[in-house]
């Protein structure tokens, strides 16, 4: 089934954008994990639409109601089920899309796959609205990873349209540096770049258009030697979870597609010894491979870049096809949509990676981690 993911822990997402509720069931989550409700609320809030100038006007509370699997602040080892109510709906905005599908959206392909029985309202089960329970599950996984392995995960907006973020002194930031950006309007290191991004997004919204972006995430303190080659590689597992997120169209690791601009002598990661408090560890002088070699972690931060396409639901006139008449028609999309999905996707990307990494860690260390 397409809405279930994971090997040792399994995540099942359910619900539709304009249904009564959305939610998830997490089976196989480790028992005895301390559940920090304040942390979960902060993670959920990072994904919410809070600024109508750069996000959708649809404002949902996104408060998960936990039905099972947690007792007295700890996970029990039983399935964790949670629901999130949909309260701010305008389903009438989508009444014509069964006949006139939106360009670059799932309307047409979903109609083909489910013989027209799919819920079209707001994209139904294909909607980015389903990333809310994903963030909830990711928050739980982050708590488990921190408690059992001291692994942390953070991300920032690397690029919006043609505007790129910059690292201070061109040095890859620490986990603490990453999370210090979370209270900003955008999760960006360079404030000048952030202001330009904000202006670009606002202009796109004013022009009833949209822009895309790139989000860079990092996994810190990943133990060396975790992973497998080929189809169980760390890259394979993370990419599978990321490509499930609506609007994700590209994933790479480390330098990724930029490797084409280098020779081997320029981008190979040389090994070195780090002496920290008289404890010697093997590291690489650079991290162009993003912490993974042969599908296995080398102890450096895992670096993942994810491309988010421009929101396909824009209110400009677009040419599409009337499925019934087989004639081309001009479509003006109604509804409330983000002018830049990447703004709210930072926490979503982190959540998907967190689930994959926890699943991998259980592979490496067994059920009783």
């Amino acid at each position: 089934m397409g809405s279930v993911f994971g090997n040792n822990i399994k995540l099942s997402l359910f619900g539709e954008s304009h249904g009564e509720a959305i939610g998830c069931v997490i089976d196989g989550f480790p028992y005895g994990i301390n559940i920090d409700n304040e942390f979960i609320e902060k993670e959920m809030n990072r994904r919410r639409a809070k600024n109508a100038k750069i996000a959708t006007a649809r404002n949902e509370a996104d408060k998960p109601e936990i039905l099972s699997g947690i007792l007295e602040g700890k996970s029990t080892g039983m399935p964790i089920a949670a629901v999130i109510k949909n309260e701010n709906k305008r389903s009438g905005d989508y009444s014509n899309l069964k006949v006139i599908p939106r360009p670059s959206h799932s309307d047409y392909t979903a109609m083909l796959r489910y013989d027209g029985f799919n819920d079209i309202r707001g994209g139904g089960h294909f909607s980015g609205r389903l990333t809310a329970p994903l963030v909830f599950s990711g928050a739980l996984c982050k708590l488990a990873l921190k408690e059992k392995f001291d692994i942390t995960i953070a991300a920032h907006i690397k690029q919006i349209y043609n505007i790129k973020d910059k690292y201070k002194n061109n040095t890859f930031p620490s986990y603490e540096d990453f999370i210090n950006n979370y209270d900003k309007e955008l999760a960006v290191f360079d404030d000048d770049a952030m202001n330009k991004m904000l202006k670009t997004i606002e202009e796109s919204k004013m022009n009833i258009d949209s822009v895309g972006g790139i989000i860079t995430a990092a996994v810190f303190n990943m133990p060396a030697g975790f992973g497998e080659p080929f189809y169980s590689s760390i890259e394979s597992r993370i990419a599978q979870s990321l490509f499930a997120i609506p609007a994700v169209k590209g994933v790479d690791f480390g330098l990724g597609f930029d490797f084409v601009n280098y020779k081997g002598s320029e981008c190979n990661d040389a090994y070195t010894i780090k002496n920290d408090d008289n404890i010697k560890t093997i590291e690489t002088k650079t991290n162009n491979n993003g912490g993974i070699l042969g599908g296995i972690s080398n102890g450096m931060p895992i670096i993942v870049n994810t491309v988010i396409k421009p929101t396909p639901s824009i209110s400009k006139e677009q040419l599409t096809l009337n499925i019934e008449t087989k004639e081309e028609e001009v479509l003006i999309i109604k509804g409330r949509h983000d002018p830049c999905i990447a703004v709210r996707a930072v926490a979503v990307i982190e959540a998907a990676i967190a689930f994959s990494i926890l699943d991998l860690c259980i592979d490496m260390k067994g059920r009783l981690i």
Side-chain angles (χ1 to χ4, degrees):
M1 182 178 177
S3 298
V4 179
F5 174 73
N7 295 326
N8 301 289
I9 51 174
K10 293 186 182 295
L11 171 65
S12 176
L13 298 176
F14 64 84
E16 293 81 29
S17 177
H18 285 238
E20 289 302 311
I22 53 178
C24 64
V25 177
I26 309 167
D27 194 13
F29 189 81
Y31 56 81
I33 301 298
N34 292 295
I35 304 302
D36 184 341
N37 290 315
E38 184 178 346
F39 174 76
I40 294 171
E41 184 176 349
K42 286 181 179 178
E43 291 292 281
M44 298 298 297
N45 197 49
R46 288 174 59 208
R47 183 204 158 277
R48 289 181 60 235
K50 298 181 287 292
N51 183 347
K53 289 184 178 180
I54 59 172
T56 174
R58 181 179 180 180
N59 195 338
E60 297 277 6
D62 283 353
K63 291 190 178 298
E65 180 184 351
I66 300 173
L67 305 178
S68 65
I70 295 174
L71 178 65
E72 297 176 350
K74 292 183 181 291
S75 58
T76 65
M78 300 300 107
I80 298 174
V83 295
I84 301 170
K85 294 294 181 65
N86 292 325
E87 298 169 335
N88 190 359
K89 301 174 288 184
R90 286 198 333 215
S91 301
D93 291 337
Y94 304 92
S95 57
N96 64 331
L97 299 183
K98 276 191 174 292
V99 177
I100 309 174
R102 291 168 289 185
S104 291
H105 213 287
S106 63
D107 301 337
Y108 177 62
T109 52
M111 181 194 71
L112 293 176
R113 174 64 180 82
Y114 298 103
D115 292 332
F117 290 102
N118 56 298
D119 186 342
I120 206 74
R121 302 168 302 167
H125 190 67
F126 295 83
S127 171
R129 179 87 186 111
L130 271 293
T131 61
L134 175 57
V135 170
F136 168 75
S137 68
L140 294 179
C141 292
K142 283 184 178 183
L143 291 171
L145 287 168
K146 176 64 177 174
E147 182 173 329
K148 295 297 184 179
F149 294 95
D150 198 30
I151 293 173
T152 53
I153 299 169
H156 77 110
I157 298 174
K158 181 180 182 180
Q159 184 172 338
I160 296 290
Y161 192 48
N162 58 4
I163 304 157
K164 297 182 179 180
D165 194 14
K166 299 175 184 176
Y167 299 142
K168 187 177 181 180
N169 299 324
N170 204 31
T171 301
F172 194 77
S174 67
Y175 172 72
E176 289 73 20
D177 292 331
F178 270 87
I179 63 175
N180 285 339
N181 293 327
Y182 289 172
D183 291 330
K184 295 182 179 180
E185 285 192 83
L186 300 177
V188 173
F189 289 96
D190 184 74
D191 288 344
D192 289 338
M194 181 180 71
N195 292 330
K196 292 176 182 177
M197 290 177 183
L198 287 168
K199 183 179 179 181
T200 296
I201 297 168
E202 289 178 20
E203 288 175 349
S204 295
K205 188 176 179 69
M206 290 291 293
N207 293 326
I208 52 177
D209 214 332
S210 63
V211 289
I214 299 174
I215 294 171
T216 293
V219 182
F220 295 94
N221 297 327
M222 186 72 187
F226 277 29
E228 302 282 353
F230 295 102
Y231 301 116
S232 291
S233 71
I234 296 179
E235 295 103 326
S236 302
R237 296 170 75 141
I238 290 177
Q240 184 181 0
S241 66
L242 289 174
F243 276 120
I245 299 170
V248 167
K249 282 297 180 182
V251 175
D252 69 24
F253 295 81
L255 286 180
F257 284 96
D258 283 343
F259 270 116
V260 75
N261 297 314
Y262 295 86
K263 296 178 180 178
S265 58
E266 298 170 327
C267 66
N268 284 346
D269 295 319
Y271 290 103
T272 186
I273 292 290
K274 180 183 178 183
N275 196 337
D276 191 0
D277 293 331
N278 294 320
I279 299 175
K280 293 183 178 181
T281 56
I282 297 175
E283 291 191 350
T284 57
K285 291 187 176 182
T286 54
N287 192 21
N288 296 322
N289 286 280
I292 307 168
L293 295 166
I296 300 168
S297 58
N298 65 6
M300 299 296 287
I302 294 175
I303 301 172
V304 190
N305 305 296
T306 305
V307 178
I308 311 286
K309 73 177 182 180
T311 316
S313 294
I314 58 176
S315 296
K316 281 184 177 295
E317 288 188 354
Q318 299 183 81
L319 192 63
T320 187
L321 189 73
N322 186 306
I323 301 300
E324 290 184 346
T325 67
K326 304 299 188 292
E327 298 288 337
E328 291 183 352
E329 287 191 18
V330 172
L331 173 65
I332 298 178
I333 298 171
K334 299 178 183 180
R336 298 161 293 174
H337 308 283
D338 290 277
C340 181
I341 297 170
V343 170
R344 297 167 57 205
V346 176
V348 180
I349 297 298
E350 292 176 19
I353 294 172
F355 198 93
S356 297
I357 295 296
L358 181 58
D359 198 36
L360 170 68
C361 287
I362 296 174
D363 262 356
M364 297 296 105
K365 293 298 181 180
R367 174 63 55 195
L368 298 176
I369 62 172

